[in-house]
Amino acid sequence: MAESEAPAPSLRRCGEHARALIAARLARLVALQAEVLADRDPEPLHQMRVSFRRLRGILEQFGPALVLPDAADPARIARISRRLGLSRDLDVLRQRLDQQLIPLLSEREVQALKPLFKQLRRERRLAFEELTEALQGRRYLKLLAQLQAWIKAPRFTPMGEEPLALWGSELLQAVTTGLTMEPGWWVESPHGTQAAADLHRLRRRIKRARYGLSHLEPLAPAAVAVWVAGLRRMQEHLGDLNDV
């Protein structure tokens, strides 16, 4: 193989593969920030939350292969993501009200709900203030700066220096172990606090498995794509149920 050619995906070093995934997520976060803070469209905020989750998933899944800066801690990333969560949840609630509920109501019923809509707008404004503080805060800017520096000069453990294919099964187990034993698979009715909690946990586990599988797609593109598509459908159905 000529020196100018990139190595086959299965021969790429585990750490270098993770570095490429992290770089893509970081670029996405930076690109979305201005649109999120402009707050003209709810979609950029949704995409930013997804990017945070995926970045956290990469760091957890490939953590044993990487020597990361202190700020790149999955728990810290989760805390930042949670500060974006309330704004997104209120956006979803308002969209469901506008698109699914309000068209079914009479003018009198819509008028009766006006105090609720006013309260939702107030809560959304307060949630967005917290979101802005998080994205302009020292912790988040430190995370971006340290990860950008690490991408330019990444450090790997001995595992990270080995081919990705050698660690494919372990990296897969890291995101799928215990998934089939989740109580949510056996919920017969979504009603009740425990049932809702089990279904919510199952949705989160499916999402984690989907993201983790997609990180390994270069090893077996066709097979992984089928599983990722199936997990996505399950996650979407459970998400709709949770939102309702």
Side-chain angles (χ1 to χ4, degrees), residues 25 29 44-56 81 210-211:
R25 283 299 124 201
L29 285 171
L45 174 56
H46 171 58
Q47 293 301 323
M48 177 171 270
R49 285 195 75 198
V50 170
S51 289
F52 268 117
R53 290 186 185 123
R54 299 202 70 149
L55 176 60
R56 179 187 177 191
S81 181
R210 178 168 73 86
Y211 291 163

Side-chain angles (χ1 to χ4, degrees), residues 93-94 97 101 112-121:
L93 176 59
R94 187 58 200 247
L97 288 172
L101 176 63
L113 286 175
K114 279 192 172 182
L116 170 64
F117 299 149
K118 183 178 180 179
Q119 177 66 18
L120 287 177
R121 287 194 296 271

Side-chain angles (χ1 to χ4, degrees), residues 15 52 70-71 78 100 106 115 154 168 178 181 207 215 226:
F52 268 117
D70 292 339
Q100 298 178 11
S106 66
M181 295 187 289
K207 184 187 307 178
H215 300 154
V226 171

Side-chain angles (χ1 to χ4, degrees), residues 213-214 217 220-231 233:
L213 270 168
S214 69
E217 193 164 359
V224 171
V226 171
W227 277 98
V228 168
L231 291 170
R233 288 193 296 271

